[in-house]
Amino acid sequence: MNNEQNKIPQATAKRLPLYYRFINNLHLQGKLRVSSKELSEAVKVDSATIRRDFSYFGALGKKGYGYNVEYLLKFFRKTLDQDEVTKVSLIGVGNLGTAFLNYNFMKNNNTKIEMGFDASTEKVGKEIGGVPVHHIDELEAKLEDTTVAILTVPSSEAQNIAERLVKAGILGILNFTPARITVPDHVRVHHIDLAVELQSLVYFLKHYPLDEEETE
Ligand code: ATP
């Protein structure tokens, strides 16, 4: 999200994806303009709210013409970062890593795993889910403009690999290893420990049954 977006009220920002989807459909149908009434009926938001929302986008509809579809589409794409795909690298192409490469995240998302890295010669040189797997020795040379990495190596390797990632310019790490990693302040780490999450779910089911909580 860019800075301009900060000026848009949150309630308006929440409606952006809704507007975007409808405007995108209109564009695909070859429509050049749309009235606030048409929009209002399609997205179920009253037209006064639409006019106010759109004024934040710098889109001032003209009487008898409506809004320019192309302009709106450009604005939404830019604001929602739909034009920009964030490149992601994955380190550790084991069972979990392989599943992520096959899944990738492009279906409804603007992130894409572009490269995998592994230490095992059995995996290096392969393509999994269309993603090439490079040797971990090539990490620094290959990363280039990648800013996000997924960590699916064994726990014992996590800190060492994280340090190499940081030195190579990575700004965000999604850590799937059970290890807690230490990084400088400018790097954001999100930790997902599947075993802990599962254990926690089982614990909550046992000790805090939902119906009991609701009647409290
Ligand atoms: P598998 O059954 O394929 O080994 P796993 O997820 O159970 O999968 P792990 O031991 O967790 O295996 O290792 C995950 C992956 O990380 C493996 O493919 C392994 O080759 C790789 N790996 C181990 N050490 C490193 C390292 N230093 N750098 C990069 N990849 C590594």
Side-chain angles (χ1 to χ4, degrees):
M1 299 273 174
N2 57 26
N3 290 333
E4 251 170 69
Q5 176 119 17
N6 294 339
K7 294 181 205 144
I8 300 173
Q10 278 193 30
T12 302
K14 276 195 190 144
R15 288 188 282 270
L16 273 177
L18 192 69
Y19 293 143
Y20 170 68
R21 197 172 52 199
F22 182 68
I23 297 292
N24 199 25
N25 282 339
L26 288 183
H27 181 70
L28 292 173
Q29 290 162 22
K31 292 240 168 87
L32 300 178
R33 55 189 180 159
V34 60
S35 68
S36 49
K37 189 165 171 280
E38 253 179 289
L39 262 164
S40 171
E41 281 162 12
V43 298
K44 306 271 181 284
V45 173
D46 68 272
S47 41
T49 304
I50 289 184
R51 278 194 294 273
R52 202 183 52 239
D53 283 353
F54 280 29
S55 69
Y56 293 118
F57 315 153
L60 303 167
K62 285 187 219 127
K63 264 228 153 71
Y65 177 88
Y67 296 96
N68 182 303
V69 168
E70 190 104 357
Y71 175 91
L72 286 173
L73 195 64
K74 268 198 193 138
F75 174 84
F76 291 138
R77 281 201 179 140
K78 189 169 143 255
T79 311
L80 293 166
D81 278 344
Q82 293 292 315
D83 280 343
E84 214 177 291
V85 173
T86 301
K87 293 180 191 168
V88 180
S89 284
L90 179 138
I91 328 296
V93 189
N95 288 318
L96 193 55
T98 300
F100 288 153
L101 293 189
N102 281 317
Y103 179 72
N104 231 317
F105 297 91
M106 280 304 280
K107 280 170 196 104
N108 198 18
N109 216 324
N110 43 6
T111 54
K112 185 173 189 291
I113 305 176
E114 294 244 306
M115 288 178 269
F117 292 90
D118 205 284
S120 153
T121 48
E122 274 171 40
K123 287 163 191 171
V124 172
K126 280 195 179 151
E127 256 196 22
I128 298 174
V131 180
V133 180
H134 304 297
H135 196 277
I136 190 68
D137 287 352
E138 290 186 280
L139 187 73
E140 290 78 2
K142 295 267 185 201
L143 277 182
E144 285 178 0
D145 54 346
T146 312
T147 52
V148 175
I150 299 176
L151 212 51
T152 43
V153 288
S155 304
S156 55
E157 301 297 319
Q159 184 61 39
N160 168 39
I161 300 286
E163 282 167 22
R164 285 178 64 183
L165 288 170
V166 170
K167 271 197 197 132
I170 287 285
L171 298 173
I173 298 176
L174 194 55
N175 177 19
F176 278 94
T177 80
R180 294 272 162 186
I181 52 176
T182 310
V183 293
D185 287 345
H186 73 277
V187 179
R188 178 177 280 274
V189 176
H190 284 195
H191 188 214
I192 303 179
D193 186 327
L194 293 176
V196 165
E197 294 298 330
L198 201 55
Q199 243 175 1
S200 155
L201 176 65
V202 171
Y203 180 86
F204 271 81
L205 285 179
K206 244 189 222 157
H207 299 280
Y208 304 91
L210 279 180
D211 46 352
E212 204 175 274
E213 210 171 69
E214 274 163 13
T215 54
E216 263 170 21

